């Protein structure tokens, strides 16, 4: 089980640590935005045993960010989510899981 733990926040974005049940940081997710036009989401996970949990909570979090920052339009954020150097496609992984 993993949790989000806020680390830093300002008007343009936030850095959130991903921690395990012992409070050890095993990754992060961060976002930056400019007005309601550009949203950048970056993340990294270091614990292979938590990959699916990371994808699950990150996908829900990103959906909320898109709605709150970009609105309901067609605009998509620029996402760079990695696991051990491998790019994770959050949208693809959540679609495969729901099928």
């Amino acid at each position: 089980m993993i949790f989000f733990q806020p680390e830093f926040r300002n008007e343009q974005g936030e850095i959130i640590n991903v921690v395990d049940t012992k409070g050890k940081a095993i990754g992060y997710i961060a976002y930056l935005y400019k007005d309601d036009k550009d949203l950048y989401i970056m993340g990294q996970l270091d614990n292979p045993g938590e990959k699916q949990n990371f994808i699950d909570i990150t996908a829900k979090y990103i959906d909320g960010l898109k709605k709150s920052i970009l609105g309901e339009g067609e605009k998509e954020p620029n996402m760079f989510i990695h696991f051990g150097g491998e790019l994770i496609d959050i949208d693809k992984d959540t679609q495969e899981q729901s099928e």
Side-chain angles (χ1 to χ4, degrees):
M1 184 170 260
I2 58 176
F3 305 94
F4 285 156
Q5 182 179 28
E7 181 70 24
F8 173 80
R9 183 168 192 268
N10 68 15
E11 305 83 39
Q12 288 89 22
E14 186 170 17
I15 299 171
I16 301 169
N17 284 331
V18 178
V19 297
D20 62 13
T21 54
K22 297 176 183 173
K24 180 183 174 201
I26 59 171
Y28 74 92
I29 187 159
Y31 68 91
L32 297 167
Y33 65 93
K34 180 180 175 184
D35 302 322
D36 60 350
K37 298 178 178 98
D38 296 315
L39 173 61
Y40 296 89
I41 303 169
M42 296 138 292
Q44 173 71 33
L45 177 68
D46 295 326
N47 185 332
E50 296 291 352
K51 183 177 179 183
Q52 192 57 52
N53 288 337
F54 180 73
I55 290 170
D56 292 343
I57 66 170
T58 301
K60 301 289 185 196
Y61 186 73
I62 289 170
D63 285 344
L65 283 176
K66 290 192 307 191
K67 288 178 186 174
S68 66
I69 295 172
L70 299 176
E72 297 290 337
E74 300 284 323
K75 188 117 172 115
E76 287 293 316
N78 299 295
M79 285 194 297
F80 305 97
I81 311 290
H82 293 267
F83 166 69
E86 168 194 344
L87 184 65
I88 299 173
D89 185 348
I90 297 291
D91 293 327
K92 179 182 163 216
D93 287 338
T94 53
Q95 286 175 357
E96 287 175 0
Q97 186 182 26
S98 65
E99 292 176 351

